[in-house]
Amino acid sequence: MGQLLNPLQGSIFVSKAVAQDSPKLYYQNLFPYFTKYDRYHAVLVSTEARRWGVVYCKKNTVNSEDHAPSWWNLEAVPHVQTLREFPREELAGKVVMVRFDSTLLLMEEIDLRINLVKNAVFTVKYLHKSGAKVILASNWNTNSITRHPDMESVADYLTSVLQLKILPVQCSSISMMSKKECFEKVDILLLENLSEFKEEVANCSKFSKLLSLVVDIFVNDSFSQSHRILASTVGITRFCCTCIAGFSFQESLCQLKEAAQTTRQTYVAIIGGGNLLDKVTALHFLASTCSALVFVGMMSFQIMHALGLPVSSRLVNHSVCKEAADIIQFSLNKSVQIVYPKDFWCKNVDTSKKMEIFASHDVPDGWLPVDLGPTSLDEINALLMKSKKIIWIGPVKFFNSSQSTGGASILARKLYDLIQSDCDVTVVGTTACKALMQESSTLPACNVFENASVVWDFLKGKHLPGVLALDRAYPYKINWDAAFCDTALPLVVDIGSGNGMFLLEMARRRKDLNFLGLEINEKLVKRCLHSVCQLEMRNGHFIATNATSTFRSIVSSYPGELVLVSIQCPNPDFNKPEHRWRMLQRSLVEAVADLLAANGKVFLQSDVEAVALRMKEAFLLYGKGKLSVFQDQVGEGWLSENPFGVRSDWERHVLDRGDPMFRLMLSNSTTVNEAHLEP
């Protein structure tokens, strides 16, 4: 390390050396693009299958695609930075806003047996115990929460739940207080009900900024609102340098990803509710991942009608017949079993108290289905007995469900028994969750999502705004032994490595160092990795990622020490103040300062002086007092020449046209000149 960066040698790597041409880069498309599946049309189903109330679909090997498309919607829940992974020592003295889930922490009778509730409580206590100054924020419905309709009552209730003193404050008062004034008497503040502000639902930028005024770190612990764009979940992240997921939020994310995996067979989806048109895409996804679709709600009439069964016209929405047939055809091509009710409990329209059981295809005029019949429940139970994984989404609901005969309870009882037998069960929706909870005083070990809208949006392949707004973490652990021959060597990281010409040539010259390029453009990374392979290079590696949010999670796992970080010629457009995802954010600078080895270096350069100045200011301002200008530098403090003797592709282009480059070297020194801390 000392030999590498010793200023007395008059060089950093190769002082005043003439830049050499980098090795030729080779291009190869390593991964083919996946093609989208075609939609299929009318399906012919045998009379025998209709009569038995079940369709056993045979795979069409000509038209169907073999690959399971479960990959396509997992992007809706990307890997994010979590409180569990965030350095605990970084929380001390910081103001942390926690967007909590009122449906968990403001329950009429809070139940700490529920993991999500337990984790929601733990998020706040963990932050407080770590020395953070906590601000709680959420929205709650005053009509449904009768025990604590006003802010003071909510503060008192949370005080009893968390066993911590909580003080209610007005949102407007935060703008008039400093951090010290906010927390003179207590360590936890509670903002007023955000549902009273129209700016919350509108994701108003000014309101979002108001919420963030004294906040250092934002923790989202309200996964149930992830499908919505709110000022307190999405807008606020534009103004906070660090945005991470709380413990309850993280658990829900993991459960949602797990529900989409198909590692355990047989996987059965129990689908209730109605509005098939809005859920077509989600049903296609379930058909591509499950081995059976069981319809237990209003959608079952659409499926029965599409199969040619006699269904009263008043029970069918004829505008979605094509979509229902399309789902059946897609299921047929995927060998997916479709099950619909064989019988119903029905009520008489004229005499509402009278109820009888009728076959599903033979409900007489004047009668309306209100619940599943016994034969339907027996068939469903028989199918579930063979299942290893089950998702129940949507209520068992038909007309006038208040007169039901307990079909949901019978189904919940069967699921509860299966959970005890190590069956993987996911329950979605308020009705389904309540039915399951009523079956036992002990909470079953299963995945629970009371807000079905979040799960339906995920199954539709939609991105979840509340998740996307959080900082990213690298999606998996890196096998450093596969990337480098010797992981004990010091590491050099080039952020925004582009076409990799700089890093590849550096790695070729310096075998005593490992070189890592972080680049957001996946095509460029594929080219660089191909070049590494062609050159049989064992000290160079590239990763396709947004280094702004993943730098800490990637570099912190490297076994050796980080000795140099370089950022060269970032796009000026990324440096607009209003751009949330600009490259050089405070969180990235702090991560570099935390992970850089003693006497490690940061090299910055740009052909745009304003960009170079902005980078310099950011590192000196947010470097936690660890970084100082490495040496006296000419003119405005810029290095006159590239200290490495290796030019990037863009640097060569700029110099060839006769324009200057603005370069700066910073050092992580234990002795820092205070004058150097000033931007």
Side-chain angles (χ1 to χ4, degrees):
M1 174 67 185
Q3 182 180 6
L4 170 66
L5 299 176
N6 188 349
L8 298 178
Q9 292 182 334
S11 65
I12 304 301
F13 288 95
V14 185
S15 177
K16 301 183 180 179
V18 178
Q20 301 177 4
D21 291 335
S22 298
K24 181 179 179 181
L25 298 177
Y26 298 90
Y27 174 73
Q28 181 183 39
N29 286 324
L30 300 179
F31 304 101
Y33 290 102
F34 289 104
T35 57
K36 293 183 179 179
Y37 60 79
D38 296 328
R39 288 199 168 192
Y40 306 104
H41 302 290
V43 57
L44 298 176
V45 182
S46 67
T47 304
E48 183 72 6
R50 294 176 185 173
R51 183 169 66 82
W52 284 100
V54 61
V55 180
Y56 292 93
C57 298
K58 183 177 180 180
K59 187 174 182 180
N60 184 329
T61 57
V62 176
N63 294 326
S64 67
E65 297 191 30
D66 293 332
H67 68 272
S70 59
W71 55 269
W72 63 267
N73 74 318
L74 290 180
E75 293 181 358
V77 282
H79 295 263
V80 298
Q81 294 279 16
T82 64
L83 184 57
R84 189 180 306 278
E85 299 167 347
F86 190 79
R88 189 167 187 174
E89 62 274 10
E90 292 296 312
L91 297 172
K94 299 290 179 63
V95 177
V96 181
M97 175 171 284
V98 178
R99 177 45 161 96
F100 70 91
D101 191 338
S102 60
T103 62
L104 296 178
L105 290 186
L106 299 183
M107 298 170 62
E108 287 299 314
E109 293 183 7
I110 195 163
D111 191 346
L112 291 177
R113 298 173 304 159
I114 304 175
N115 282 337
L116 291 177
V117 176
K118 188 189 305 181
N119 283 329
V121 171
F122 183 56
T123 293
V124 182
K125 289 191 171 184
Y126 176 88
L127 289 167
H128 179 262
K129 193 172 181 179
S130 300
K133 307 297 184 181
V134 181
I135 299 177
L136 299 177
S138 189
N139 54 2
W140 55 87
N141 189 333
T142 55
N143 294 326
S144 60
I145 304 178
T146 55
R147 288 179 55 181
H148 30 258
D150 54 64
M151 183 171 58
E152 288 74 16
S153 299
V154 171
D156 291 340
Y157 181 72
L158 289 176
T159 295
S160 64
V161 169
L162 299 170
Q163 297 298 301
L164 296 169
K165 180 60 179 177
I166 298 174
L167 178 69
V169 296
Q170 302 289 329
C171 290
S172 57
S173 64
I174 293 183
S175 61
M176 297 179 288
M177 293 189 293
S178 65
K179 292 182 183 181
K180 184 177 180 180
E181 292 173 333
C182 285
F183 297 97
E184 281 184 344
K185 298 180 180 179
V186 293
D187 287 327
I188 297 183
L189 302 177
L190 171 69
L191 293 185
E192 57 191 307
N193 189 355
L194 297 181
S195 64
E196 298 178 0
F197 296 86
K198 61 182 180 181
E199 296 89 347
E200 161 74 349
V201 177
N203 190 27
C204 174
S205 179
K206 290 184 178 179
F207 186 67
S208 301
K209 190 172 184 178
L210 172 66
L211 293 177
S212 70
L213 280 180
V214 298
V215 176
D216 297 307
I217 299 172
F218 171 70
V219 175
N220 192 345
D221 213 28
S222 180
F223 186 79
S224 65
Q225 300 295 314
S226 294
H227 62 301
R228 303 179 65 191
I229 302 177
L230 304 173
S232 64
T233 60
V234 176
I236 190 174
T237 61
R238 293 179 56 203
F239 306 101
C240 296
C241 67
T242 302
C243 305
I244 56 183
F247 294 114
S248 181
F249 193 105
Q250 180 185 5
E251 181 185 0
S252 294
L253 265 178
C254 293
Q255 289 180 354
L256 194 58
K257 290 181 180 180
E258 183 182 330
Q261 301 302 318
T262 57
T263 54
R264 300 188 69 178
Q265 296 294 336
T266 306
Y267 188 5
V268 174
I270 305 170
I271 304 164
N275 197 359
L276 182 143
L277 182 61
D278 182 56
K279 298 165 183 171
V280 168
T281 307
L283 294 175
H284 273 280
F285 173 74
L286 289 172
S288 68
T289 54
C290 298
S291 52
L293 303 183
V294 180
F295 291 91
V296 296
M298 293 295 290
M299 273 188 278
S300 60
F301 299 123
Q302 296 293 149
I303 298 299
M304 293 163 60
H305 178 73
L307 291 172
L309 287 165
V311 180
S312 175
S313 59
R314 68 181 180 276
L315 303 178
V316 177
N317 181 356
H318 294 278
S319 64
V320 295
C321 290
K322 177 182 177 299
E323 285 76 9
D326 193 39
I327 291 168
I328 294 171
Q329 179 62 63
F330 184 75
S331 300
L332 183 149
N333 285 277
K334 292 292 181 181
S335 301
V336 176
Q337 180 179 343
I338 295 181
V339 180
Y340 56 84
K342 279 192 67 177
D343 61 346
F344 295 107
W345 278 98
C346 300
K347 73 168 185 176
N348 188 282
V349 176
D350 298 325
T351 309
S352 59
K353 294 183 179 181
K354 185 177 181 181
M355 295 182 65
E356 292 187 22
I357 299 173
F358 295 100
S360 59
H361 62 277
D362 194 25
V363 177
D365 293 339
W367 294 81
L368 288 176
V370 295
D371 206 347
L372 294 172
T375 303
S376 298
L377 288 168
D378 288 343
E379 287 185 346
I380 293 172
N381 287 342
L383 176 63
L384 296 182
M385 285 291 293
K386 305 174 184 178
S387 304
K388 298 298 183 183
K389 186 170 183 175
I390 301 168
I391 181 172
W392 176 13
I393 180 169
V396 180
K397 185 176 182 180
F398 302 97
F399 292 93
N400 195 12
S401 58
S402 61
Q403 290 187 321
S404 67
T405 58
S409 297
I410 295 172
L411 185 59
R413 195 172 306 123
K414 170 57 66 175
L415 290 179
Y416 182 83
D417 293 339
L418 290 172
I419 293 170
Q420 312 309 310
S421 303
D422 197 34
C423 182
D424 186 353
V425 176
T426 299
V427 181
V428 182
T430 303
T431 303
C433 291
K434 286 183 177 179
L436 188 64
M437 289 290 294
Q438 290 172 355
E439 292 308 309
S440 175
S441 58
T442 59
L443 184 70
C446 66
N447 300 332
V448 176
F449 298 92
E450 286 207 36
N451 191 330
S453 298
V454 179
V455 182
W456 278 119
D457 279 0
F458 166 72
L459 295 177
K460 294 172 189 175
K462 290 185 177 181
H463 293 295
L464 303 177
V467 178
L468 294 181
L470 297 177
D471 294 334
R472 303 292 190 277
Y474 197 61
Y476 56 85
K477 292 183 179 179
I478 300 170
N479 185 350
W480 294 109
D481 290 326
F484 299 119
C485 181
D486 183 0
T487 57
L489 293 178
L491 181 68
V492 174
V493 179
D494 188 29
I495 299 176
S497 54
N499 60 18
M501 296 178 71
F502 168 78
L503 210 63
L504 288 169
E505 177 61 14
M506 291 287 290
R508 187 185 69 82
R509 295 187 181 193
R510 296 302 302 263
K511 302 298 184 182
D512 57 331
L513 298 168
N514 284 334
F515 294 85
L516 176 65
L518 304 179
E519 169 58 46
I520 199 169
N521 189 320
E522 293 186 16
K523 291 184 178 180
L524 292 178
V525 170
K526 289 178 183 178
R527 297 181 193 179
C528 293
L529 289 174
H530 184 63
S531 295
V532 168
C533 182
Q534 292 289 321
L535 296 168
E536 298 183 353
M537 186 176 289
R538 293 307 311 276
N539 67 329
H541 188 60
F542 294 83
I543 295 176
T545 185
N546 181 355
T548 301
S549 54
T550 62
F551 180 91
R552 185 186 293 273
S553 62
I554 291 175
V555 179
S556 62
S557 66
Y558 180 72
E561 61 178 5
L562 175 67
V563 297
L564 176 67
V565 174
S566 62
I567 303 178
Q568 304 185 54
C569 304
N571 190 331
D573 291 342
F574 288 179
N575 290 275
K576 293 180 180 178
E578 67 274 13
H579 201 299
R580 162 83 173 107
W581 300 111
R582 63 188 183 274
M583 176 185 284
L584 201 58
Q585 294 184 37
R586 177 178 174 180
S587 57
L588 174 60
V589 176
E590 290 183 344
V592 171
D594 289 338
L595 299 175
L596 199 62
N599 296 319
K601 302 296 184 291
V602 177
F603 176 64
L604 309 171
Q605 80 166 343
S606 175
D607 58 317
V608 180
E609 187 173 16
V611 174
L613 282 170
R614 187 181 186 117
M615 290 194 292
K616 174 183 177 181
E617 292 171 357
F619 271 94
L620 294 179
L621 182 62
Y622 302 127
K624 302 183 175 182
K626 299 178 181 180
L627 300 174
S628 61
V629 176
F630 181 60
Q631 60 188 28
D632 294 333
Q633 296 167 13
V634 299
E636 296 295 329
W638 307 119
L639 288 169
S640 59
E641 296 185 32
N642 186 319
F644 308 115
V646 177
R647 296 173 181 171
S648 68
D649 187 45
W650 183 252
E651 181 182 4
R652 183 183 296 108
H653 170 73
V654 171
L655 295 178
D656 286 347
R657 72 189 185 196
D659 291 336
M661 291 294 295
F662 302 93
R663 309 181 184 93
L664 179 73
M665 186 73 73
L666 301 174
S667 175
N668 181 12
S669 175
T670 54
T671 304
V672 178
N673 186 340
E674 295 297 330
H676 288 155
L677 295 178
E678 295 299 326

